[in-house]
Amino acid sequence: MKSKLLFLATAILFLIVLAACGNTEESKGTEEDSQNVNAESDGPEVVVDGSSTVFPIMEAVAEEYQKENPDARVNIGTSGSGGGFEKFAAGETHISNASRPIKDEEKASLEEAGIDYTEFEIALDGLSIVVNKENDWVDKLTVKELNKMWSSYGDVTTWADVREGWPEEEIQFYSPGADSGTFDYFSEVVLGEEGEIRQDASLSEDDNVLVQGVTGSKNGIGYFGYAYYAENKEQLKAVPIVNDSGEAVAPDQETVQSGEYNPFSRPLFVYVKHSALENEAVYNFTEYALKNAGAMSESVGYVGKPDSAYEEALQELDSIAGK
């Protein structure tokens, strides 16, 4: 009986030791996995996030870059200008795309995180106010009318509320989400610092969802970057906007470049983390982006800047990277 008890105790002790070893190996494996994840942040993948407006440009750049560099990996997200800056400050990205300049509170977050960065202006955009192709009554809009339509304090429900003679049809509103730089820009220009967008507007960070909303509704109106309008011209109508000279001007490459399409002509940006440029993959991609941003911008429907502007940006990049 004693021998059986001794055998049983020995077996239990062996199982306990075996389980402990297994846990140790599992912990060791988890630690190694964590180290691998951290190591990958300094690896060949370039991580970019931010504005959905800038996305078509950087997507085009990345596609061409990866054709020329088959081993390169570029991951581009579209969490909006604000969402992109949050990830940038959290150390999750190397480059942040934005359709508006960085805000003071975002600068403070980056400073607190000890992140140095440089802003590069890569293209120009004409924020486009669009209606359904079947809409045959809207010939132009003023900023004052846009304010009346989009403000949460306005009393606009139908087109007839905007202008006498327009149909008494209920308007459907489509807007980028609150994390979007396009939302911020439109709100600042149309609603002012204290204004708020109407509560019944359908919001999305995905501009393609907004395109689908307006194309699917005869009484829809929305706004987004010019490239998304240019890609869907057969289904949408860009509304001419009365500028500061009193002229109704539609967005196109010429009116955006000249500034005639105001107040909705605007620059587009990328923000590059200085420490990330120590990674050769990030430096090479950024250099390629600045060399080709003009051509890529125009290929997807935006407006490129003068060649001299990109040459200056490349010199600044090399200075930051110590090249």
Side-chain angles (χ1 to χ4, degrees):
M1 183 68 179
K2 288 183 179 179
S3 61
K4 287 183 178 180
L5 290 174
L6 181 61
F7 174 80
L8 182 59
T10 303
I12 292 171
L13 180 61
F14 175 77
L15 290 173
I16 292 172
V17 171
L18 184 63
C21 290
N23 288 338
T24 301
E25 290 299 318
E26 184 178 349
S27 299
K28 183 179 179 182
T30 302
E31 183 178 349
E32 288 175 351
D33 289 344
S34 176
Q35 289 173 348
N36 288 338
V37 169
N38 291 335
E40 284 179 2
S41 66
D42 295 323
E45 183 177 29
V46 181
V47 185
V48 185
D49 207 315
S51 168
S52 61
T53 302
V54 181
F55 173 77
I57 302 172
M58 296 302 278
E59 180 187 40
V61 169
E63 286 178 357
E64 292 303 312
Y65 179 72
Q66 289 173 130
K67 285 179 184 176
E68 296 183 20
N69 302 273
D71 294 332
R73 290 184 291 139
V74 184
N75 184 349
I76 305 177
T78 55
S79 59
S81 297
F85 282 128
E86 288 178 8
K87 292 185 177 183
F88 199 50
E92 298 175 16
T93 59
H94 302 120
I95 299 171
S96 199
N97 299 332
S99 58
R100 56 153 174 85
I102 188 170
K103 296 179 179 179
D104 288 341
E105 56 267 30
E106 292 163 342
K107 291 180 181 178
S109 295
L110 288 164
E111 185 176 353
E112 184 178 347
I115 295 172
D116 294 323
Y117 61 91
T118 292
E119 171 192 281
F120 293 102
E121 192 173 311
I122 60 165
L124 299 172
D125 174 36
L127 189 156
S128 302
I129 290 80
V130 301
V131 294
N132 188 281
K133 197 74 171 180
E134 294 182 27
N135 184 320
D136 58 4
W137 57 91
V138 177
D139 55 344
K140 62 184 176 182
L141 284 168
T142 66
V143 173
K144 186 175 181 179
E145 286 173 327
L146 287 169
N147 176 280
K148 183 180 178 182
M149 294 174 70
W150 287 90
S151 173
S152 61
Y153 304 110
D155 56 359
V156 169
T157 302
T158 71
W159 289 104
D161 295 328
V162 181
R163 196 181 299 176
E164 186 178 351
W166 285 358
E168 292 186 8
E169 298 286 345
E170 185 175 352
I171 307 171
Q172 282 82 51
F173 295 87
Y174 297 91
S175 167
D179 276 339
S180 167
T182 303
F183 175 94
D184 290 336
Y185 189 90
F186 183 85
S187 297
E188 181 179 343
V189 170
V190 173
L191 305 176
E193 291 185 6
E194 302 299 324
E196 293 182 5
I197 197 168
R198 58 187 303 137
Q199 298 299 307
D200 60 348
S202 297
L203 274 61
S204 175
E205 301 293 349
D206 187 342
D207 290 322
N208 290 306
V209 171
L210 305 179
V211 169
Q212 292 167 12
V214 179
T215 57
S217 170
K218 183 178 179 179
N219 292 296
I221 186 170
Y223 64 94
F224 34 72
Y226 180 76
Y228 289 92
Y229 160 67
E231 190 178 346
N232 297 277
K233 279 185 177 181
E234 295 182 1
Q235 300 168 287
L236 297 169
K237 182 169 76 172
V239 179
I241 302 300
V242 178
N243 65 14
D244 57 9
S245 298
E247 298 177 358
V249 179
D252 60 34
Q253 291 195 338
E254 290 182 4
T255 60
V256 170
Q257 179 73 56
S258 68
E260 187 181 358
Y261 180 67
N262 64 67
F264 293 116
S265 294
R266 58 175 179 162
L268 301 176
F269 307 93
V270 296
Y271 290 78
V272 181
K273 189 178 299 183
H274 289 184
S275 60
L277 293 172
E278 297 173 9
N279 181 335
E280 201 66 19
V282 177
Y283 170 80
N284 289 339
F285 175 74
T286 305
E287 180 186 42
Y288 187 90
L290 293 177
K291 282 181 177 178
N292 295 278
M296 292 296 101
S297 297
E298 295 186 1
S299 73
V300 298
Y302 292 118
V303 179
K305 294 176 64 62
D307 290 342
S308 59
Y310 297 113
E311 290 169 4
E312 290 177 10
L314 284 164
Q315 291 174 6
E316 185 171 6
L317 175 70
D318 283 348
S319 175
I320 296 164
K323 300 290 185 180

